[in-house]
Amino acid sequence: MAEHTPLAQRAGLYLHVPFCQRKCPYCGFSSRPPRDGDFACYFKAVLAQLHTVARLPEIRELRFASVFFGGGTPSLLPAGMLASLLHACTAALNCAADREISVEVNPGTIGAPALQVLRKAGFNRLSVGVQSFCDAELRRLGRIHSAAEAGKAVAMARAAGFANISLDLMYGLPGQSAADWQHSLEAALALEPQHLALYELTPEAGTPLAAALERGAIRLPEEDEVLAMMAITRRLMAGTALARYEISNYARPGLQCRHNLNYWENGFYLGLGPGAVSAFGGGRFAIPPGLTRYRERAASGQPAWDAGERLDREAAFRETVIMGLRMIRGISAAALQRRFALDLRRYYGPVLERLLAQKLVVWHGDLLALSDSGLLLANQVMAELV
Ligand code: SF4
């Protein structure tokens, strides 16, 4: 979808599935193991919320260019239920004919018949939560699957007709060496994915992993080791057809994740399900986590979210700059001017001049982007612009 298409015409729809077979000790996402009756209750509540929000004038103005079923572990739901939810969403909302429709699956929770149902239902992009191709690392991460199961899931997905497959991997894991990371990345590339998401593990406060780190029961790799992993990533990725288009994401030409690009452009999105967030019409609306409360709100004909938070123009501008700099192509000063009536150079003045002098950001014509050294220090650069 062209970058100049108005944001309302390329909105994203996110459906949060708040269940996982077992909680991974590093996970800060809103999910838990399902209990009896949860799936049916969730299904009914999502349909109720969908039908309520689909009638809102602000939602009726949106055209959805992408749909993303994420979690949690969407593949824990019966495939027929996912297919019905997708059908309900596309029937109730104005979706683009060429919409990207992604679903996250975790190896060990998906089989060939389910993948066939999903493909037939219209899902055209699969995001596979592999995380590592070392079994010892997967065990330490508390994952429920093996490296072999991840490879099998990809093969089954291809056989089911998925031609756009993304793999998620993490580096900087407890006990991981640079050689281990190289092994995982090489194994992922050998599967010839269309898209790779390579994230450094960030310990989330309040998780069992963060607690284990605090008491010294485990340790993360030293900074030098992590830098060596990043160097391996640059070297291996340079020889592939997957181009880096965001700090942590790589894609074959034309197969960048449209749904995530919309987030990085600070676009409009509608969130369904407990814990999901929506952003449209200058406001942001969060649904609290928890199935019971979500079901009650949805059943009573409410959109299910809390009172919206409104960002003033300058706060929204700064947020758009920071999110946009995550993209390798950078952010367009002219587009920011059109959207916020603010001049990027003038707004940041000496702060931007300093970042330019330090060669942490660079201009490519109208686009301001992180430089190679800025990409390594992205958090530091963002902190200057927040
Ligand atoms: S599978 Fe993903 S969402 Fe579920 S607990 Fe593990 S990391 Fe969290």
Side-chain angles (χ1 to χ4, degrees):
M1 184 118 334
E3 211 185 315
H4 53 262
T5 308
L7 292 175
Q9 295 303 303
R10 51 188 168 102
L13 170 65
Y14 176 74
L15 179 100
H16 186 72
V17 179
F19 307 113
C20 286
Q21 192 163 315
R22 188 172 74 199
K23 195 74 188 163
C24 303
Y26 60 90
C27 178
F29 294 119
S30 167
S31 70
R32 61 162 174 77
R35 297 190 275 266
D36 279 353
D38 271 354
F39 290 167
C41 166
Y42 168 80
F43 179 72
K44 221 171 130 190
V46 169
L47 292 184
Q49 188 205 352
L50 172 65
H51 290 124
T52 301
V53 297
R55 288 195 294 266
L56 298 176
E58 303 95 314
I59 299 298
R60 291 170 69 89
E61 281 171 12
L62 301 180
R63 184 161 166 270
F64 293 89
S66 67
V67 178
F68 195 106
F69 281 26
T73 306
S75 50
L76 216 49
L77 290 184
M81 195 176 269
L82 291 171
S84 298
L85 287 169
L86 175 60
H87 180 72
C89 290
T90 51
L93 301 167
N94 174 14
C95 294
D98 67 340
R99 54 199 173 254
E100 170 193 277
I101 309 179
S102 306
V103 57
E104 286 180 341
V105 302
N106 280 328
T109 64
I110 191 89
L115 285 160
Q116 283 155 13
V117 171
L118 296 178
R119 183 68 195 96
K120 205 164 154 219
F123 289 94
N124 54 25
R125 184 174 181 279
L126 212 62
S127 173
V128 187
V130 175
Q131 313 313 348
S132 165
F133 279 97
C134 295
D135 283 337
E137 285 172 7
L138 289 169
R139 278 194 296 276
R140 281 198 290 273
L141 286 174
R143 304 289 299 184
I144 59 164
H145 58 88
S146 65
E149 280 175 304
K152 206 171 142 204
V154 172
M156 288 188 299
R158 288 246 163 76
F162 281 96
N164 189 358
I165 298 177
S166 176
L167 306 181
D168 286 359
L169 286 184
M170 288 196 298
Y171 62 94
L173 306 178
Q176 186 183 42
S177 68
D180 295 333
W181 169 241
Q182 178 161 341
H183 167 77
S184 274
L185 186 50
E186 283 174 342
L189 290 171
L191 292 173
E192 301 188 337
Q194 280 66 41
H195 187 283
L196 270 183
L198 310 177
Y199 284 98
E200 182 177 355
L201 174 68
T202 321
E204 292 280 341
T207 59
L209 178 94
L213 283 168
E214 233 164 73
R215 56 172 197 276
I218 54 169
R219 65 168 200 87
L220 295 179
E222 299 294 334
E223 195 185 340
D224 282 359
E225 194 75 9
V226 173
L227 288 173
M229 293 179 199
M230 290 174 165
I232 287 168
T233 304
R234 283 195 297 279
R235 180 167 57 78
L236 292 183
M237 295 309 294
T240 72
L242 296 151
R244 191 180 193 185
Y245 71 101
E246 191 266 350
I247 291 177
S248 308
N249 284 270
Y250 301 76
R252 289 180 188 236
L255 293 178
Q256 294 93 345
C257 177
R258 194 189 283 179
H259 190 78
N260 285 341
L261 279 172
N262 182 53
Y263 288 136
W264 298 318
E265 287 168 359
N266 213 4
F268 297 161
Y269 45 89
L270 170 64
L272 302 175
V277 176
S278 302
F280 55 84
R284 186 162 302 149
F285 310 87
I287 303 174
L291 183 57
T292 307
R293 183 166 36 173
Y294 173 68
R295 186 201 55 196
E296 286 164 4
R297 288 188 182 189
S300 68
Q302 300 173 40
W305 48 62
D306 287 334
E309 166 209 7
R310 301 228 160 242
L311 284 186
D312 66 38
R313 181 174 61 119
E314 291 196 21
F317 170 81
R318 289 194 300 273
E319 198 181 79
T320 306
V321 169
I322 288 164
M323 300 282 284
L325 279 175
R326 295 192 61 87
M327 296 181 287
I328 302 303
R329 69 170 186 234
I331 40 168
S332 157
L336 287 165
Q337 176 75 45
R338 280 195 300 276
R339 186 167 166 190
F340 298 101
L342 288 168
D343 182 287
L344 182 58
R345 289 176 183 82
R346 207 169 307 142
Y347 187 84
Y348 284 110
V351 174
L352 182 54
E353 288 309 319
R354 195 173 59 248
L355 292 172
L356 285 162
Q358 291 169 330
K359 298 193 174 12
L360 293 172
V361 293
V362 281
W363 285 106
H364 300 297
D366 166 60
L367 296 166
L368 182 73
L370 290 173
S371 64
D372 286 346
S373 47
L375 282 165
L376 289 171
L377 299 170
N379 289 343
Q380 193 178 309
V381 176
M382 312 297 188
E384 298 271 344
L385 300 172
V386 76

